[in-house]
Structure formats: C-alpha cells, structure tokens
Amino acid sequence: KRIENQTNRQVTYSKRRNGLFKKAHELTVLCDAKVSIIMISSTQKLHEYISPSTATKQIFDQYQKAVGVDLWHTHYEKMQEHLKKLKEVNKNLRREIRQRMGESLNNLGYDQMVNLIYDMDNSQRLIRERKYKVIGNQIETSKKKVRNVEEIHRNLVLEFDARQEDPHYGLVENEGDYTHPVLGYPNGGGPRIVALRLPQPNHPHPHPSLHSGGGSDLTTFHLLE
C-alpha cells in the first residue's frame, strides 16, 4: 500500500527508480533491446531512461507503427487551427492599418466608416493625452531646475551685498599677532562668526581654551555687535 510518510516515500521512490533503470540497462546490454522508461514522481519531477542505441522519438515512432495509432495527429490539428486563427487576426490588423492610412475604404459601409472615424478620434485623443503628460513632466522638471538656479543666484546676490556693506565679511588681512588671514561667515542674521588660524609655537598652547582641539589650528569666535 501507499507509503504515508513523505520522506520514506521519496527515499523508496529514488531507490527503486535506480533499480529499475539498472534492470533496463541490463536488458539493453544483454538482450540488445531498445528500452525507454518515463517516470514522473509525486513532486512532478521527470526521470527517464533511454537505451544508448536509440532516441525517444524513434521509440515513439516505432510504437505508433506497431500499434497503428498517430500520437501527434490531434496535436497537429490543434496547432493548424491555432495558426489559422493567428493568420486571420493578422489579416484583419493589416486591413485596419491600411484603412487608418486612408486605403481600402471602398468596401466599407456607412456604419463601418462611422466606427472607423470614432476609433481614429479616440486614438488621437489618447495620443494627445500621452503627449501632454510627457510635456507636463518636462515642464515640471524645467521649473525645478529654474528654481534651483534662482536660489543659487539669490544666495550669490546676498553674499555680494554683504561684501559691499560689511567690511568684516570675507577675508581680512590681520597684521597683529596672527599671521594668517581671518575668514568671516554670516550666521542667518544673527551674530557673525569669525574663523582664524592661530600660530603654532613650539611650546604647548598658552591658551588651551582658545584651541579647537583635534589637531586643528582653526578657531572660531563670535563678533560682538
């Protein structure tokens, strides 16, 4: 009876399949027989054995000849019927294309002409909607680029005005105790920030609180209004 445990069932199937294929091979070698075995497991896996001296198609051809049946006739008829339908569809599509190009209109009746005009108007509407959608997307993309350019231009104008009005903005050469230039930054309308580089003496920094740490000599200060 059927083995209920799935694992045991698969193991038994594998062992007995190999044993069956071994016997088929022995028949092929010892008796010069042409053997073909096709097996499909419960998991829908295909296994087959065919004698080395033949092919599967030859076995089927010999089977049809011996039994007197045609295994492929029904399938061939279905394929011919399907091919006929495809040719008819292709013919109709070609005729519709010619009609949309203004050809082959002599045999059309009034209703067919009305339907053709309706189809062409509908197709034109769909094409126009698609075109407007593509153009709209391009316009939105261009607007975003323009806004970005305007933002960059506005920032540059603000920076230019700040340089004209504020002498402390930008680079200032300081001839005092510091040997490096001073760089000033605007801080969103609040107190301005100045960054400068302090000299690096050989001894430890005399004012550790002024050093930014991390091995950098860049220090920032808030300017008093």
Side-chain angles (χ1 to χ4, degrees):
K1 64 179 181 180
R2 181 177 182 269
I3 300 175
E4 297 298 333
N5 185 278
Q6 183 177 0
T7 302
N8 295 340
R9 186 166 62 246
Q10 291 297 326
V11 172
T12 302
Y13 173 81
S14 179
K15 289 182 178 180
R16 301 207 175 192
R17 180 197 65 213
N18 293 336
L20 181 59
F21 286 174
K22 182 179 179 181
K23 293 296 182 182
H25 180 68
E26 291 176 356
L27 284 173
T28 300
V29 175
L30 298 177
C31 305
D32 195 24
K34 296 179 181 178
V35 182
S36 176
I37 300 176
I38 297 177
M39 301 177 63
I40 300 177
S41 67
S42 59
T43 57
Q44 303 304 312
K45 290 185 178 180
L46 175 67
H47 303 89
E48 64 174 339
Y49 172 85
I50 186 71
S51 298
S53 60
T54 186
T56 303
K57 185 179 182 303
Q58 294 178 352
I59 292 291
F60 282 131
D61 291 341
Q62 290 182 355
Y63 173 81
Q64 293 180 102
K65 184 177 180 180
V67 180
V69 296
D70 189 349
L71 299 176
W72 318 114
H73 181 70
T74 303
H75 183 64
Y76 177 77
E77 288 182 346
K78 291 181 180 179
M79 290 180 61
Q80 288 294 322
E81 186 67 22
H82 183 62
L83 178 61
K84 182 179 179 180
K85 292 180 180 179
L86 291 178
K87 288 183 177 180
E88 185 67 22
V89 171
N90 183 63
K91 179 181 177 180
N92 294 335
L93 290 175
R94 289 180 177 274
R95 184 177 64 252
E96 290 182 5
I97 292 174
R98 290 195 301 270
Q99 291 173 353
R100 290 174 184 268
M101 297 295 294
E103 304 174 359
S104 302
L105 300 178
N106 295 331
N107 297 328
L108 294 181
Y110 175 78
D111 293 337
Q112 292 175 323
M113 289 291 295
V114 172
N115 292 334
L116 179 61
I117 294 174
Y118 173 79
D119 291 340
M120 294 183 66
D121 290 340
N122 189 45
S123 299
Q124 186 179 16
R125 178 181 59 82
L126 294 176
I127 294 173
R128 186 181 297 110
E129 290 177 356
R130 175 60 179 171
K131 179 180 178 181
Y132 287 163
K133 183 177 180 180
V134 173
I135 294 176
N137 293 337
Q138 294 176 348
I139 292 175
E140 290 298 325
T141 302
S142 300
K143 287 182 178 179
K144 291 180 180 179
K145 293 181 179 179
V146 170
R147 287 195 294 267
N148 292 336
V149 173
E150 290 176 347
E151 181 67 20
I152 295 174
H153 178 265
R154 186 161 48 250
N155 293 336
L156 292 174
V157 171
L158 292 175
E159 181 179 353
F160 178 78
D161 293 341
R163 289 179 182 273
Q164 295 294 325
E165 298 176 0
D166 191 351
H168 296 289
Y169 186 92
L171 293 176
V172 178
E173 294 295 336
N174 192 336
E175 298 179 357
D177 298 334
Y178 305 105
T179 59
H180 296 273
V182 179
L183 182 61
Y185 301 93
N187 191 20
R192 293 184 297 276
I193 298 176
V194 173
L196 52 85
R197 296 187 181 274
L198 299 178
Q200 295 294 322
N202 296 329
H203 55 80
H205 201 287
H207 302 288
S209 61
L210 296 179
H211 199 272
S212 61
S216 172
D217 59 349
L218 183 65
T219 306
T220 60
F221 299 91
H222 289 282
L223 288 178
L224 299 178
E225 295 295 338

